[in-house]
Amino acid sequence: MRYFNNPEAMIKLIAAMQDGFANTLAIFFLTLLFSIPLGMVVALLRMSRRRMISVPVSLYILVMRGTPLMLQIFAIYFAIPMLLGQNLDRMAATILAFSLNYAAYFAEIFRGGMMSIPVGQHEACQVLGFTKIQAFFHVVLPQVCKRVLLPVSNEVITLVKDTSLANIIAVSELFRAAKNEASRTASVEPLFVAGLFYLAMNGVVTLVFSYLTRRFDYYKD
Amino acid sequence: MLQAINVKKSFGETGVLKGVSMRVSRGEVVAIIGRSGSGKSTLLRCMNNLETIDSGEIRIGGEPLVTTGADGKPVYKRDRELRTLMLKMGMVFQDYNLFPHCSVLRNLVMPQTLVLRRSAEEAKSKALSLLEKVGLLEKANEYPCNLSGGQCQRVAIARALCMDPDILCFDEPTSALDPQLTHEVLSVIRALADEKRTMIVVTHEMNFARDVADRVIYMENGLIVEDGPARDVLGSSRSEAIRAFAGEANY
């Protein structure tokens, strides 16, 4: 063993991986920032009664969920420069691909959440004179949040690990940094250290979601 | 106050309302009775714009909610005007439909501040006075999930009253409740009747209909079969149809 029994080497390894880790965190947070609101919009469009809207949106969801995220990252990184004649920053391409992909998953989770709200809630809003927008923000959305917490936590945990896919277009994220160290020192140990990083991140994610679940515990449906 | 003229409505092939006309005057309490599937709930829901009609006319306080156009299709009021008109109607549902994520007080305050643009203080004092009226002042900060069915229904009544409707409608308000809880809800409705509130109650409670309603409408197969003062429709001179129905309903 080169690292696990040598604290000094371990500290050096972690230092070598810290930029990668920062990039991983950036991909993670920016993806959540963009994909959750986008997912809500996609869900609403998917539920539109106009087929002109709902059919193309279903198609979008099918493509995003039906093809590998790795392929989507490639496609965006190489296709956008061809279409726009302008190079795209690796990080920007990654975040765009992740946001579009995760928005599709979140959209279906949100759609499920919205469809699970009893029709009586909408009727109550209607007879009380709420506008559609008031009903959505004051009655539907707060209840959807509680209902989707569990499936959303699943996606967020998957996202933590999926960030490693960015390394295929040479974004220097955590896994790439670990791989570099591994080949430089001819040891697999850096990969396991990276594994511990992902595990720790997901530990935090789990804590955050159990906190949120408790926050929403003040009522039962 | 409220008028329905030759209202027709079908779900697919099945006609649910086959030309129903009725009117409700100010201060009147009207009970609509009939078997399940007779169309009584659908009629009430049409009058509250929760279902659209196929043809006919509904007027609320003289203003048309829906009329029939020259092409025979119903023409509804739209958007803002529609919402303003519908504020004259209040509705209490069989399964309450309280907002589970809001406290009892918030259930009553939110519609007032959002829809009627009342100030928070005004809305709150209105809410508290109505909660007192339905005997639930001490539950103001509870959540609906911690209340009994009867308490939920009384909160729902208070919520509807917060909006100062001209006509208060009840869609089988006690059908989800056991006899004890039914009693507490019915006594609230009875108190409202004593205040001469205009109310339409779709109900299976025959005793309640006879005691509280000024008028009873009996529906069968999407048509109004009887419409008259409660004592006539449900009294000793009642018709064969009502006799059969009331007999089944243990009256």
Side-chain angles (χ1 to χ4, degrees):
Chain A
M1 282 204 285
R2 186 187 293 271
Y3 296 99
F4 280 102
N5 55 3
N6 184 344
E8 212 172 303
M10 184 60 105
I11 288 166
K12 272 192 186 149
L13 172 64
I14 290 171
M17 286 166 54
Q18 82 186 356
D19 286 352
F21 184 55
N23 278 335
T24 290
L25 288 178
I27 297 169
F28 174 76
F29 283 114
L30 290 171
T31 299
L32 287 183
L33 182 69
F34 297 129
S35 63
I36 288 178
L38 182 60
M40 187 51 83
V41 173
V42 172
L44 292 171
L45 295 177
R46 171 70 184 77
M47 291 168 83
S48 167
R49 247 170 278 165
R50 287 174 212 205
R51 291 175 60 82
M52 288 268 292
I53 297 171
S54 67
V55 169
V57 171
S58 313
L59 214 63
Y60 163 80
I61 293 172
L62 177 65
V63 171
M64 284 298 153
R65 298 198 306 171
T67 59
L69 175 54
M70 189 187 279
L71 177 61
Q72 293 165 19
I73 297 168
F74 269 129
I76 284 174
Y77 183 57
F78 292 110
I80 285 188
M82 277 197 278
L83 290 172
L84 301 180
Q86 197 181 0
N87 265 341
L88 199 59
D89 175 62
R90 290 171 200 282
M91 194 67 174
T94 303
I95 289 160
L96 181 59
F98 271 83
S99 299
L100 293 175
N101 179 277
Y102 272 80
Y105 285 96
F106 283 135
E108 288 295 87
I109 291 172
F110 296 154
R111 187 164 72 96
M114 284 190 268
M115 291 195 311
S116 77
I117 302 294
V119 65
Q121 292 288 304
H122 296 277
E123 291 184 347
C125 289
Q126 195 194 323
V127 298
L128 290 167
F130 286 40
T131 63
K132 288 254 164 64
I133 292 170
Q134 287 172 334
F136 178 75
F137 282 105
H138 294 275
V139 175
V140 177
L141 190 59
Q143 295 185 58
V144 167
C145 286
K146 179 182 168 103
R147 288 175 186 225
V148 300
L149 220 48
L150 218 57
V152 164
S153 77
N154 254 340
E155 285 308 307
V156 175
I157 284 174
T158 304
L159 173 62
V160 166
K161 296 169 291 176
D162 274 359
T163 55
S164 62
L165 287 171
N167 94 82
I168 54 146
I169 56 167
V171 172
S172 54
E173 45 66 60
L174 180 63
F175 197 75
R176 188 173 187 85
K179 229 170 54 177
N180 288 344
E181 286 305 302
S183 48
R184 196 173 62 78
T185 61
S187 160
V188 293
E189 282 172 65
L191 298 179
F192 289 102
V193 174
L196 290 176
F197 269 83
Y198 291 114
L199 190 60
M201 264 178 88
N202 273 330
V204 174
V205 168
T206 305
L207 283 177
V208 168
F209 274 95
S210 54
Y211 167 75
L212 290 175
T213 307
R214 262 179 286 126
R215 275 289 302 272
F216 276 106
D217 244 4
Y218 69 90
Y219 78 91
K220 290 186 183 59
D221 285 306
Chain B
M1 189 116 228
L2 180 77
Q3 197 178 4
I5 304 161
N6 200 21
V7 169
K8 290 181 184 164
K9 161 91 186 163
S10 53
F11 290 116
E13 296 287 286
T14 20
V16 186
L17 299 176
K18 298 170 182 165
V20 172
S21 301
M22 62 172 282
R23 59 189 311 153
V24 179
S25 315
R26 184 177 292 277
E28 206 177 19
V29 179
V30 176
I32 305 179
I33 59 172
R35 286 190 180 80
S36 302
S38 60
K40 57 192 193 306
S41 279
T42 306
L43 176 61
L44 191 71
R45 289 171 59 81
C46 286
M47 294 190 294
N48 280 279
N49 194 32
L50 291 166
E51 307 280 354
T52 51
I53 64 172
D54 298 337
S55 70
E57 199 172 324
I58 297 173
R59 289 173 172 276
I60 301 167
E63 245 186 291
L65 158 66
V66 53
T67 51
T68 301
D71 57 354
K73 289 202 173 114
V75 184
Y76 273 86
K77 250 198 182 26
R78 294 187 57 112
D79 306 330
R80 205 190 190 89
E81 270 182 53
L82 176 67
R83 252 183 302 122
T84 311
L85 178 63
M86 292 322 291
L87 284 178
K88 295 187 176 180
M89 304 288 285
M91 176 86 169
V92 174
F93 297 91
Q94 181 179 338
D95 36 13
Y96 340 126
N97 295 336
L98 295 176
F99 303 135
H101 61 298
C102 297
S103 69
V104 165
L105 185 61
R106 183 121 187 81
N107 262 281
L108 272 60
V109 167
M110 187 169 67
Q112 297 182 66
T113 53
L114 286 180
V115 178
L116 303 178
R117 304 269 166 220
R118 285 185 182 146
S119 71
E121 306 87 78
E122 191 192 353
K124 189 176 170 189
S125 72
K126 174 105 188 170
L128 292 175
S129 75
L130 284 167
L131 280 178
E132 187 167 22
K133 188 175 190 159
V134 299
L136 289 172
L137 195 53
E138 79 281 10
K139 300 287 184 190
N141 294 314
E142 288 285 352
Y143 283 84
C145 57
N146 298 324
L147 302 183
S148 72
Q151 290 169 334
C152 282
Q153 195 57 293
R154 282 146 69 197
V155 172
I157 293 170
R159 183 175 67 175
L161 289 172
C162 275
M163 308 303 282
D164 295 321
D166 292 343
I167 304 170
L168 190 54
C169 301
F170 297 81
D171 188 6
E172 304 192 15
T174 60
S175 295
L177 304 174
D178 67 34
Q180 178 61 37
L181 301 180
T182 295
H183 176 75
E184 68 182 49
V185 170
L186 292 184
S187 53
V188 168
I189 301 176
R190 187 170 280 130
L192 294 173
D194 291 342
E195 292 173 13
K196 286 286 153 212
R197 261 183 190 282
T198 314
M199 295 195 285
I200 307 173
V201 188
V202 168
T203 185
H204 289 295
E205 297 285 332
M206 300 294 270
N207 288 327
F208 173 77
R210 188 191 48 194
D211 295 349
V212 176
D214 300 312
R215 234 171 76 216
V216 171
I217 290 175
Y218 173 70
M219 288 184 70
E220 209 173 80
N221 280 323
L223 288 169
I224 290 177
V225 179
E226 300 272 340
D227 181 349
R231 75 182 88 74
D232 295 354
V233 176
L234 296 177
S236 50
S237 64
R238 62 194 193 267
S239 68
E240 201 55 48
I242 305 255
R243 215 181 290 257
F245 170 66
E248 285 167 32
N250 273 333
Y251 169 63

